[in-house]
Amino acid sequence: MPLPKTTREYKTRGDLPQNLKLEQVPFAPPKAIEVTIKIHAVSLQYRDLMVSKGIYPGQRKELVPCSDAAGTIVAIGDEVKRWKVGDRVCPNFFLDHVYGDVTEENKATDLGGHTDGVLREYINVPGYSVVRIPDHLTYEEASTLPCAALTAYNALMGPVPLKGGDYVLTLGTGGVSTFAQQIALACGANVIVTSSTDEKMEVARKLGVQHRINYKETPNWSDEVRKITGRGVDHIIEIGGPNTIDKCIKAVRCNGWVHVIGLVSGGNSGIPLESAIRNAITFRGILVGSVKQFEDMSRLFSARKIHPVIDRVFSFEHAVDAYTYLESQKHVGKVVIRVSKD
């Protein structure tokens, strides 16, 4: 099948989601080390809302947004040996973060931030940057893996990997938190989730989450976490930020891990250093993950037949509505945009 000479893509100019523009632009064949991916689905992150408002650190003001996509390879460059036309793949969040620690150099290759992202019909990326999609997943499901799932996996499988029987606390029922619940349960851990509604916690219950706390009904939820565990949790997926960090310090065990991922709760307070030092708490900032970690995670998803939780799917033409829905925070799991049906 010949490659198209033009493709449709969205552009953000650093204003509001409503200012996303769908454009028809020229499309070039892949370079020698690249593959061309026909994108079938894109999933949204909280980061995409920040980019759409022009407040994501270091972002380009005019770019193709979004980092997470799944699709089919439709062309390969002359030097690409690993992949073939027809392979189902996802590009990694940082195109050049193949293995090891993230660096200043490969941080600059983030899709939808410093470089043009995936909210388009076709994209060329280096062949070393893509990962095979688990066979049991649809394109919509697979599109949720590159950021939210890999961030959760990197947190729980980092320097001190999660063990069976550990306690994991996840804040909320958004994408990263839901994936952390699924990964922890697949590894035999005990999971505690906090959420604002019983309806959202019902989704977590159906996943198998053993302990659920409505933080509106139980504002001192860190005390409840202590009652459940007896000593505090081993790992916390901290997506709230300043307004929740104090309670996380109370909820984590001595020598436990607080994986700092998001800032969705807002606030200005810092980390209470005295408590952190006295309890030997490790705070680890998580910045997605490498291609190698993505491959490891995909094996876990394949082995345990993990299916991502998708709240709602929007059409490519209604991408702005998907942004609006994500910002409403009514979702549990992921919000997805279907780019292509075939």
Side-chain angles (χ1 to χ4, degrees), residues 169-174 176-178 181 192-195 215 221 236-241 244-245 248 264-265:
L169 170 63
T170 69
L171 305 190
T173 51
V176 174
S177 295
T178 300
Q181 294 161 27
I192 305 169
V193 61
T194 65
S195 188
Y215 63 76
W221 48 262
I236 296 180
I237 303 299
E238 165 55 287
I239 55 86
T244 54
I245 196 71
C248 285
V264 298
S265 72

Side-chain angles (χ1 to χ4, degrees), residues 81-103:
K81 306 301 181 186
R82 181 182 178 188
W83 302 105
K84 66 181 185 300
V85 171
D87 285 341
R88 303 193 322 142
V89 296
C90 293
N92 197 49
F93 181 96
F94 294 114
L95 293 177
D96 287 354
H97 188 192
V98 180
Y99 59 87
D101 295 333
V102 67
T103 66

Side-chain angles (χ1 to χ4, degrees), residues 211-230:
H211 306 281
R212 302 166 297 280
I213 303 171
N214 186 319
Y215 63 76
K216 289 189 174 180
E217 296 177 357
T218 310
N220 294 324
W221 48 262
S222 56
D223 295 336
E224 185 65 21
V225 169
R226 283 279 176 176
K227 290 178 184 177
I228 292 169
T229 62

